[in-house]
Amino acid sequence: MPIGRTHSVSLLGLQGAIVEIEADISSNLPAFVIIGLPDAALGEARDRVRAAATNSGCSLPGRKVTINLSPAALPKHGSGFDLGIAMAIFGAAGDVSSESIDRVVHLGELGLDGRLRPISGVLPAVVGAQRAGFETVMVPTGNEDEAALVPGIRVVGVASLRDAVIWHGGKLDPVPVDPILRPGSHSVQDDVLELADVIGNDEAVDAMMVAAAGGHHVFLLGPPGAGKTMLAARLPGLLPELDPAAALEVSSLRSLAGFPVGSTLVTRPPLEAPHHTATAAALVGGGSGLIRPGAAARASHGVLFLDEAPEFASAVLDALRQPLESGVISIHRANAVAHFPGSFQLVMAANPCPCGQYGARDSECICTPMSRRKYLGRMSGPLLDRIDIQLRVNRITSAQLRVANESIRITTASARHRVTVAREAAAERLATTPWTLNSQVPGAWLRGPHARLSAATTSSIDRALERGGITMRGYDRVLRVGWSIADLDGAEHPTADHIGRALYFRKALSA
């Protein structure tokens, strides 16, 4: 009897690898064997497939069935191989066209009644199939809209195993079933908050616009009620719309994390705000079997907000140091290494002391100097040195409130327009380089002949470097922020005032 052969996709991070599914039916006693490094969920496919086939009216042969998942050395996880395993068996038995199943990638989990259940990670799996040269994928009806977001590939949505057999030439009569659909969820497209709601704190609003223009990381220090969370929540609204490649990547991360994607790609930058009890695996990603993206990966092309940052475990915070530098999150396991994008903007907020009142004009701090140093010392120096903008945020007074109520405040739409124009100016200046944002430009380039500023312009940071007020990394980061301020102001080059403002944003905590 011939061997049935079809294909599916195994995901490692966001990368999809094609898996060839082979089925052999021998004349031995009835048995069902799966080989090729399946995990526990995939190993249980033998029971799901057998029950689904029986209840769909197309029972499996009463002989030994051997399923080989190739390449055998590649670890395979999850229940998304069920449909492909069933099709390979029917191909070996001659119940469907072998040529038809061989040119189609199958994705989907089988229920015992034969219906197909939606699975997570369909979007990156279909992208992997397209890059491998396949033209057709078959997915559960509940994943059809999501799979159709990938251009240039034919998507076949089926509600049941019986429908899949019929599509591949099986001699069965159609039986209508109710498809299993994924529950809807609140879309990130609607999470755009109004910047004009921020009263007072014009300096902090300006800093957030600079951060948005250059893609800079931000640290906000201030007492409770100063507006740190309010400012951080509005940063994604200041960022431009995602380009098609970024939208596909953000949507793929949501799909892999198990969130419904819907019929349109995510076009607004995401905001992730994990609780301070989050583990390192929850923040950067991990898992004992299938490696899932953490909050930092899901925040790629958007904002990762860590409120009450000193309450996070020090080891969890330090896990962000590598992605902050490289823009890539790498998760190592004994048999594989998964890579996720990590090009997020980090915003950390913290109280100045355990009681939160140190430096507040209207309250008295009860903390000792030692407890204050110990509290903020939970955030390591190397991590803070990677934060471009470090700003103190104070509560506004009643007088400031009256003035703010009478003044015209900038809206989210206006600020986003200014940020977009500034980013376009930076992209034009960096057109011949691999970078598009000021935060990505290495210091050697900024200090080199391409962008070197005069000694008079950089005199403030030169003195700060000589006195030990900033490190060499901090020097370069001030230059990057200075360029972002200049781009926001429409200047061709930063002036001494721009560099001075950038240095203030870097050293405001010690001011």
Side-chain angles (χ1 to χ4, degrees), residues 158-193:
V158 290
S160 67
L161 179 60
R162 189 183 186 95
D163 291 344
V165 171
I166 294 172
W167 193 89
H168 284 296
K171 306 302 182 183
L172 296 174
D173 295 326
V175 175
V177 298
D178 294 327
I180 302 175
L181 303 178
R182 301 192 75 175
S185 70
H186 179 59
S187 173
V188 297
Q189 316 278 31
D190 302 325
D191 295 338
V192 177
L193 302 178

Side-chain angles (χ1 to χ4, degrees), residues 350-372:
N351 295 328
C353 64
C355 78
Q357 305 304 323
Y358 180 68
R361 292 183 290 260
D362 53 354
S363 301
E364 183 178 352
C365 175
I366 60 174
C367 304
T368 65
M370 178 63 71
S371 66
R372 289 197 295 268

Side-chain angles (χ1 to χ4, degrees), residues 173-510:
D173 295 326
V175 175
V177 298
D178 294 327
I180 302 175
L181 303 178
R182 301 192 75 175
S185 70
H186 179 59
S187 173
V188 297
Q189 316 278 31
D190 302 325
D191 295 338
V192 177
L193 302 178
E194 182 50 63
L195 185 63
D197 293 340
V198 180
I199 299 176
N201 283 324
D202 293 340
E203 188 177 84
V205 171
D206 186 42
M208 300 310 283
M209 290 177 58
V210 173
H216 304 289
H217 308 303
V218 183
F219 176 46
L220 302 174
L221 183 72
K228 304 185 296 294
T229 302
M230 195 175 191
L231 287 163
R234 279 149 181 77
L235 180 56
L238 307 184
L239 302 177
E241 298 284 320
L242 298 175
D243 60 50
L248 181 60
E249 191 169 79
V250 170
S251 301
S252 296
L253 285 164
R254 285 180 57 83
S255 174
L256 190 59
F259 301 138
V261 174
S263 57
T264 58
L265 292 175
V266 176
T267 58
R268 290 300 309 150
L271 171 66
E272 289 287 334
H275 192 260
H276 61 258
T277 57
T279 63
L283 190 61
V284 298
S288 58
L290 179 63
I291 301 176
R292 296 284 189 182
R298 298 195 302 271
S300 192
H301 302 290
V303 176
L304 175 65
F305 176 44
L306 303 184
D307 200 5
E308 307 293 346
E311 300 295 339
F312 284 79
S314 297
V316 174
L317 291 177
D318 285 339
L320 294 174
R321 286 161 57 178
Q322 180 256 339
L324 285 179
E325 284 294 314
S326 65
V328 177
I329 298 172
S330 299
I331 301 174
H332 294 254
R333 292 293 180 266
N335 56 1
V337 179
H339 299 287
F340 295 106
S343 55
F344 55 86
Q345 281 187 251
L346 176 64
V347 179
M348 296 197 305
N351 295 328
C353 64
C355 78
Q357 305 304 323
Y358 180 68
R361 292 183 290 260
D362 53 354
S363 301
E364 183 178 352
C365 175
I366 60 174
C367 304
T368 65
M370 178 63 71
S371 66
R372 289 197 295 268
R373 286 195 296 270
K374 184 178 180 181
Y375 183 71
L376 293 179
R378 297 176 186 176
M379 298 174 291
S380 67
L383 175 64
L384 288 177
D385 202 36
R386 289 167 166 81
I387 307 299
D388 299 349
I389 298 175
Q390 303 177 15
L391 192 67
R392 184 180 294 275
V393 183
N394 297 313
R395 297 179 183 137
I396 66 170
T397 64
S398 58
Q400 291 173 321
L401 178 60
R402 285 193 296 270
V403 172
N405 285 333
E406 295 172 359
S407 62
I408 298 176
R409 298 187 293 274
I410 187 169
T411 64
T412 295
S414 299
R416 189 191 304 154
H417 175 71
R418 287 190 60 191
V419 168
T420 301
V421 172
R423 287 199 172 196
E424 289 173 351
E428 183 178 352
R429 182 175 63 254
L430 301 171
T432 59
T433 73
W435 317 294
T436 57
L437 295 175
N438 292 320
S439 60
Q440 300 168 347
V441 182
W445 194 89
L446 291 173
R447 290 179 272 106
H450 304 285
R452 183 181 296 134
L453 302 176
S454 67
T457 302
T458 62
S459 59
S460 58
I461 54 176
D462 291 338
R463 289 194 300 270
L465 181 63
E466 290 173 1
R467 296 170 182 171
I470 57 175
T471 63
M472 195 63 226
R473 179 189 281 129
Y475 186 98
D476 292 339
R477 291 188 180 279
V478 171
L479 285 178
R480 295 169 186 165
V481 175
W483 276 101
S484 295
I485 297 174
D487 290 335
L488 269 178
D489 288 348
E492 186 175 350
H493 297 283
T495 63
D497 178 64
H498 293 144
I499 298 299
R501 287 168 60 193
L503 180 61
Y504 174 74
F505 284 150
R506 177 82 181 176
K507 302 298 292 179
L509 298 186
S510 57

